[in-house]
């Protein structure tokens, strides 16, 4: 049914176009693709493209086909591929309320009625943990500077409360620009502190299913300028040596609690070694306002 003019015969494996002499030299049972005018074939990659397209347009049909294959499959590696495929495609990403995806909430406290409320709570808990670390460092602060250090802690705590502990970072329903996730709930690893992006292209949607929610708890919010090694000790030193100057606590707040200094990373991309980065010395104290004489 194809016109001979413009039609081509290619290898299924890599899309190599066949000449008559090449065709005669092929071993038996070689898989071929017959292309009509204007059609192209890039080998196995073309099948992968069609499969990925089917994920979006025929998701239910792909899941059902994979389930049928899995019932008769005995090879462990192929079993895992099919099981993972079914698991990843049988997601309930759009469901938000507990009544619409009860399995997602298994193991959580009954007070969480929707997914976003739990993810906000997760982010808030991390921020509260950072605040406890800053507060707990007070025993290392010079005794004469502890009152000033406590004052800064109080200012930071009030600021965190006013922004609801930055829970919006993990909330797909918030419209603020500071969110880490897309509107669909996908999060992408932002790579190690010294890289622009994750080389492995890690991504996750904790809204999709219970397993992804649990796995997401292992991801880290990594301080680029390190909290324990750099930011908190520098804050303590600034309070100690301020000599009448006003410590720029909002700069330290940004380093500790905001995306100015936080990157979301997969646990495999979280480097525990010293980042060898320090605070900006020019921003530790507030600049004095110049007095202008009125003539």
């Amino acid at each position: 049914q194809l016109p001979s003019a413009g039609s081509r015969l290619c290898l299924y494996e890599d899309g190599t176009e066949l000449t008559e002499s090449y065709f005669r030299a092929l071993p038996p049972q070689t898989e071929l693709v017959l292309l009509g005018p204007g059609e192209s074939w890039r080998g196995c990659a073309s099948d992968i493209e069609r499969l990925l397209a089917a994920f979006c347009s025929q998701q239910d049909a792909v899941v059902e086909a994979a389930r049928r294959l899995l019932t008769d499959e005995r090879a462990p590696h192929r079993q895992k591929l099919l099981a993972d495929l079914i698991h990843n495609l049988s997601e309930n990403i759009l469901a938000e309320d507990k009544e619409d995806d009860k399995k997602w909430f298994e193991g959580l406290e009954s007070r969480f009625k929707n997914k976003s409320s739990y993810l906000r709570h997760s982010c808030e808990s991390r921020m509260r943990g950072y605040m406890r670390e800053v507060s707990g460092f007070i025993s290392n602060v010079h005794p004469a500077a502890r009152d000033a250090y406590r004052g800064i802690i109080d200012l930071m705590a009030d600021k965190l409360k006013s922004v609801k502990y930055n829970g919006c970072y993990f909330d797909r329903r918030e419209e603020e620009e500071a969110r880490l996730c897309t509107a669909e709930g996908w999060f992408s690893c932002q790579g190690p502190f010294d890289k622009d992006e994750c080389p492995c292209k890690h991504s996750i949607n904790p809204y999709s299913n219970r397993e992804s929610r649990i796995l997401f708890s292992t991801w880290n919010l990594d301080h680029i300028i390190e909290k324990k090694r750099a930011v908190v000790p520098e804050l303590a030193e600034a309070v100690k040596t301020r000599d009448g100057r006003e410590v720029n606590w909002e700069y330290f707040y940004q380093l500790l609690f905001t995306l100015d200094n936080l990157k979301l990373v997969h646990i495999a991309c979280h480097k525990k070694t010293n980042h060898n980065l320090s605070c900006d010395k020019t921003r530790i104290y507030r600049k004095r306002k110049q007095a202008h004489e009125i003539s």
Side-chain angles (χ1 to χ4, degrees):
Q1 297 178 356
L2 293 175
S4 57
S7 295
R8 305 180 317 286
L9 200 60
C10 299
L11 290 180
Y12 169 81
E13 182 180 11
D14 60 9
T16 301
E17 188 172 340
L18 302 182
T19 61
E20 184 173 349
S21 60
Y22 189 13
F23 174 76
R24 295 181 183 280
L26 293 175
Q29 308 306 320
T30 298
E31 291 185 83
L32 306 175
V33 177
L34 180 60
L35 301 174
E39 293 182 323
S40 61
W41 183 259
R42 298 193 297 116
C44 299
S46 293
D47 261 352
I48 295 173
E49 288 176 349
R50 292 167 63 189
L51 185 60
L52 290 174
F55 287 172
C56 299
S57 61
Q58 302 291 331
Q59 181 171 315
D60 293 341
V62 172
V63 170
E64 183 57 34
R67 285 195 173 116
R68 288 198 299 268
L69 289 171
L70 188 58
T71 57
D72 297 323
E73 186 56 62
R74 294 293 178 266
H77 184 61
R78 286 163 60 95
Q79 280 182 337
K80 185 179 186 310
L81 286 174
L82 287 168
D84 288 347
L85 176 64
I86 293 169
H87 172 75
N88 289 326
L89 290 183
S90 301
E91 298 173 333
N92 201 358
I93 293 174
L94 296 180
E96 173 66 18
D97 297 327
K98 188 173 184 177
E99 293 302 315
D100 298 322
D101 194 355
K102 291 183 179 179
K103 191 173 182 179
W104 192 93
F105 290 84
E106 289 180 5
L108 298 181
E109 297 176 34
S110 59
R111 62 190 174 102
F112 297 114
K113 304 302 182 183
N114 57 64
K115 296 178 180 180
S116 290
S117 66
Y118 174 75
L119 269 295
R120 281 197 306 271
H121 168 77
S122 175
C123 186
E124 290 169 11
S125 296
R126 298 192 192 196
M127 297 298 169
R128 290 176 190 271
Y130 299 159
M131 191 73 247
R132 284 193 296 270
E133 289 183 56
V134 179
S135 300
F137 196 81
I138 196 167
S139 60
N140 299 298
V141 178
H142 190 278
R146 286 177 184 173
D147 286 344
Y149 189 85
R150 288 191 188 94
I152 288 176
I153 290 175
D154 291 341
L155 290 170
M156 288 183 174
D158 289 342
K159 175 74 172 178
L160 271 177
K161 289 176 184 177
S162 71
V163 294
K164 300 179 181 179
Y165 291 89
N166 288 327
C168 62
Y169 290 172
F170 286 4
D171 189 345
R172 63 177 171 180
R173 299 191 303 177
E174 291 285 346
E175 297 299 328
E176 298 179 27
E177 295 180 1
R179 287 183 311 167
L180 279 161
C181 62
T182 66
E184 293 78 25
W186 284 97
F187 291 83
S188 297
C189 174
Q190 297 173 313
F193 75 94
D194 56 349
K195 303 292 183 183
D196 291 331
E197 60 181 14
C198 168
C200 300
K201 306 297 181 186
H202 293 122
S203 64
I204 192 171
N205 192 328
Y207 292 89
S208 60
N209 51 51
R210 178 173 177 268
E211 184 175 325
S212 294
R213 166 178 66 77
I214 295 171
L215 184 60
F216 186 58
S217 66
T218 67
W219 284 45
N220 297 119
L221 275 173
D222 189 19
H223 287 85
I224 303 169
I225 301 174
E226 294 172 282
K227 175 176 77 273
K228 291 182 179 179
R229 291 190 178 106
V231 181
V232 178
E234 187 70 62
L235 173 59
E237 182 65 19
V239 173
K240 174 187 171 184
T241 60
R242 65 189 188 281
D243 191 26
R245 293 172 291 181
E246 183 182 357
V247 176
N248 186 6
W249 67 269
E250 289 181 320
Y251 169 62
F252 289 98
Y253 173 90
Q254 290 171 354
L255 295 180
L256 291 166
F257 305 110
T258 76
L259 299 185
D260 287 357
N261 191 46
L262 286 169
K263 294 179 73 173
L264 183 67
V265 294
H266 186 282
I267 189 170
C269 294
H270 187 205
K271 292 190 176 182
K272 298 290 187 178
T273 55
N274 197 325
H275 292 188
N276 293 315
L277 297 173
S278 57
C279 301
D280 184 348
K281 300 292 185 181
T282 66
R283 301 184 64 188
I284 290 175
Y285 298 103
R286 294 187 187 276
K287 293 182 179 179
R288 295 177 183 274
K289 294 181 178 179
Q290 293 183 348
H292 298 281
E293 292 185 3
I294 301 177
S295 59

